[in-house]
Structures are given as C-alpha cells and as structure tokens.
Amino acid sequence: MTHVRDPEMVVRPRSVERLVVGQATSDGAGVKLTRVLTQPLQRRLDPFLMLDAFRSDDPGDYLAGFPDHPHRGFETVTYMIAGRMRHRDSAGHEGLLENGGVQWMSAARGLIHSEMPEQEDGLMEGFQLWVNLPARDKMGEPWYRDFAAREIPVFTTASGATVRVIAGESHGVAGAVTREATEPLYLDVELPPGARFTQSLPAGHNAFAYVYRGEIRIGETAVPRQRMAILAGAPEADGVVVEAGGEPARFLLIAGRPLGEPIAQYGPFVMNTQEEIYAAVNDFREGRLGATRP
Ligand code: FE2
C-alpha cells in the first residue's frame, strides 16, 4: 500500500560529521562483504554495533553462507534487496528471506542459527545491521520475525521519494518493527534525480546514512555510493535533509537512541562486561546457549 505524504518539517538539519569507507572482509564460511560500521565506531553510533553490506553476482562470494553459529546480547536485522537466504535457529524458527524482505531477530540470551543461500547463481545483495540490547534485556527470551517485502510499509512523497519503513516512524507511517529501548529508525529511501527527502530525528539519537545507488547530498557534503555519512549530533538539530544528485539514488537512513552502557564484544557475543563474555563462551562450549533453558 502506497500513500503520498508531505515532507516532514525540518528547520535545523544535521550536517555530516564524517564519511566512512567500508572495509572489505569475509565472514561465515567465507562470504565476501563490506563492513561499513566497524567496532571502533560502536561507541559513536551506539546503539548500532555493526553494518555489513553484501552485493555480488559471483556465487563464489556467497555460496558458503553462514553455517551454524551463536549470538547473544543483541539483535540482528537482515534486509535482502535481491536473493534468497534460508534461516534456521535453535529456537525452532525457520524462514526464507528474499527480494525486499526483512528478518528481525533478537538473540537476547542466545541462540544458534544458520543463514544459508538458496540460490546457486544470480545477484545477492543486502545488509545486516546489529542493534544492541540494553543490559536488562540481554538475557531475555530470543525473538524473531520475518517480513516479506509486501509487509514492509512503503510511502511516496510529493517530490517522488519512495520510502520503505523497516523500523520506527517516518512521515506518520509506522514501520514493520518498533523497539522500545533503542527506538530504531531504519528507512530505505529511493530518490529520483534532484529530489529531496526530509526526516525528523530526535536530537539525542545517533544517526547515519549509507548510500548504495547514485549519490546524495546532505547539507554541504556530497556522499558518494558505498559511503556511510555519520550525521553530526548538534543539540538544536531537528532532522536531516537529503538531496539526490544527477542520477537516481538509494540509501539507508538509520538512527537510534544510544544506550550509554559499556560494550564488551567477543565475536558474536555482545555484553556489558568481560565476565559476561566468559559466561557466554562457556555456555556456548557446554551446549547451554541454544538450549530452551540455559
Ligand atoms: Fe548470524
């Protein structure tokens, strides 16, 4: 369902604090990807812990997939632009994520899952975002939901922006997911050449944009494809204004309320202290992490 919405009122837009180039890496059983949000940025972009981008039409880059591996202490959000990936976890959930679909998984106290491609050729493109959980929820019940593309609310603006609202709220449209502690906003915005998009953002929330088609401008700063723009957090700023360059542009706009808690990470475990990390590693080694009751 598509609705045409007027622009949101933004009087004092945020500027770009810095541009970040992603780092080529591989993860899982050898899947090639670009790590856009890396560990040194976790404090600056609290509550976000990681953003990976993947795009390849070479099956050798993705076929190995992500066989069984654990998570504890945070949430993973996988957004598939193109391709098919099957998810299975120790809590008994199974789902097929494809073209435009989103999987939101709260690992909380822990689960073991696999994320495996269900295609032998063709393009695979998408993103995985890690969102931290507050200390009080890290050992809560795991939670999981799949959203097909048609279940992601979408609207267009008078200037021609098409906006998919994965989480949070934009122009009065509520997203597929609402999370209380971190209040994440997760938008996928498509702009025709020269079009403009405005989004209000709470002043205290950390925010960034990642461009994956064309080029955008935020204030004085041109943001080319495959760059993340970290938005400055001036206390009087009330949102962001984005303009497309001379070709169609597409970008993710992500923002959230910082938790302000200590971050202790060891691979797929993100807790508050080293002791909790040791406990996670022990629980995993002794087979308690994916169990119904640890
Ligand atoms: Fe995973």
Side-chain angles (χ1 to χ4, degrees):
M1 188 72 179
T2 302
H3 310 272
V4 176
R5 299 276 169 162
D6 291 326
E8 285 196 354
M9 194 66 160
V10 172
V11 180
R12 291 187 182 82
R14 295 194 192 201
S15 57
V16 173
E17 179 180 298
R18 59 181 280 210
L19 295 182
V20 175
V21 184
Q23 296 177 6
T25 184
S26 75
D27 209 338
V31 177
K32 286 199 179 134
L33 47 83
T34 302
R35 189 141 296 162
V36 178
L37 197 174
T38 54
Q39 216 166 349
L41 291 169
Q42 287 176 341
R43 178 54 58 196
R44 174 62 190 85
L45 292 174
D46 180 11
F48 304 106
L49 300 164
M50 196 188 84
L51 176 69
D52 281 346
F54 48 93
R55 176 186 162 86
S56 178
D57 54 12
D58 175 358
D61 289 345
Y62 59 73
L63 270 186
F66 300 85
D68 275 350
H69 60 279
H71 291 289
R72 175 180 279 180
F74 61 100
E75 313 198 297
T76 65
V77 185
T78 313
Y79 180 29
M80 230 33 203
I81 304 293
R84 290 156 63 86
M85 187 101 93
R86 168 125 0 226
H87 165 268
R88 281 191 185 93
D89 71 33
S90 54
H93 303 121
E94 179 171 342
L96 183 65
L97 187 58
E98 56 187 333
N99 308 328
V102 171
Q103 181 210 78
W104 199 292
M105 181 185 84
S106 188
R109 72 166 180 256
L111 46 71
I112 294 168
H113 76 160
S114 62
E115 300 154 292
M116 299 301 291
E118 279 214 352
Q119 63 189 66
E120 279 165 14
D121 50 31
L123 177 67
M124 179 169 283
E125 180 177 28
F127 304 95
Q128 188 171 81
L129 177 73
W130 288 12
V131 188
N132 209 353
L133 281 168
R136 65 171 186 275
D137 294 338
K138 280 183 181 291
M139 292 301 280
E141 207 56 47
W143 175 91
Y144 158 95
R145 258 207 80 178
D146 275 322
F147 301 89
R150 64 178 181 282
E151 296 172 294
I152 306 294
V154 56
F155 68 90
T156 57
T157 64
S159 72
T162 301
V163 184
R164 291 173 180 83
V165 192
I166 295 166
E169 189 182 312
S170 179
H171 298 238
V173 176
V177 173
T178 304
R179 305 299 282 146
E180 268 176 32
T182 49
E183 297 174 42
L185 174 77
Y186 190 159
L187 306 179
D188 177 15
V189 183
E190 272 184 84
L191 290 178
R196 171 187 279 235
F197 174 70
T198 60
Q199 173 66 39
S200 60
L201 296 170
H205 288 201
N206 289 326
F208 62 94
Y210 179 72
V211 182
Y212 68 103
R213 299 275 192 281
E215 178 173 305
I216 61 173
R217 177 166 285 276
I218 298 175
E220 300 298 301
T221 310
V223 189
R225 197 167 70 86
Q226 293 180 324
R227 295 291 186 287
M228 170 170 71
I230 297 180
L231 303 185
E236 71 282 2
D238 59 354
V240 63
V241 178
V242 180
E243 263 174 25
E247 50 182 312
R250 200 163 169 188
F251 63 97
L252 306 179
L253 179 62
I254 294 172
R257 193 170 75 80
L259 292 168
E261 295 176 351
I263 301 168
Q265 177 175 10
Y266 177 71
F269 309 123
V270 184
M271 304 300 288
N272 300 107
T273 67
Q274 278 308 316
E275 288 69 28
E276 290 168 342
I277 290 294
Y278 298 141
V281 171
N282 277 333
D283 283 350
F284 175 53
R285 284 193 183 137
E286 289 164 24
R288 287 189 299 263
L289 194 130
T292 324
R293 279 282 151 209

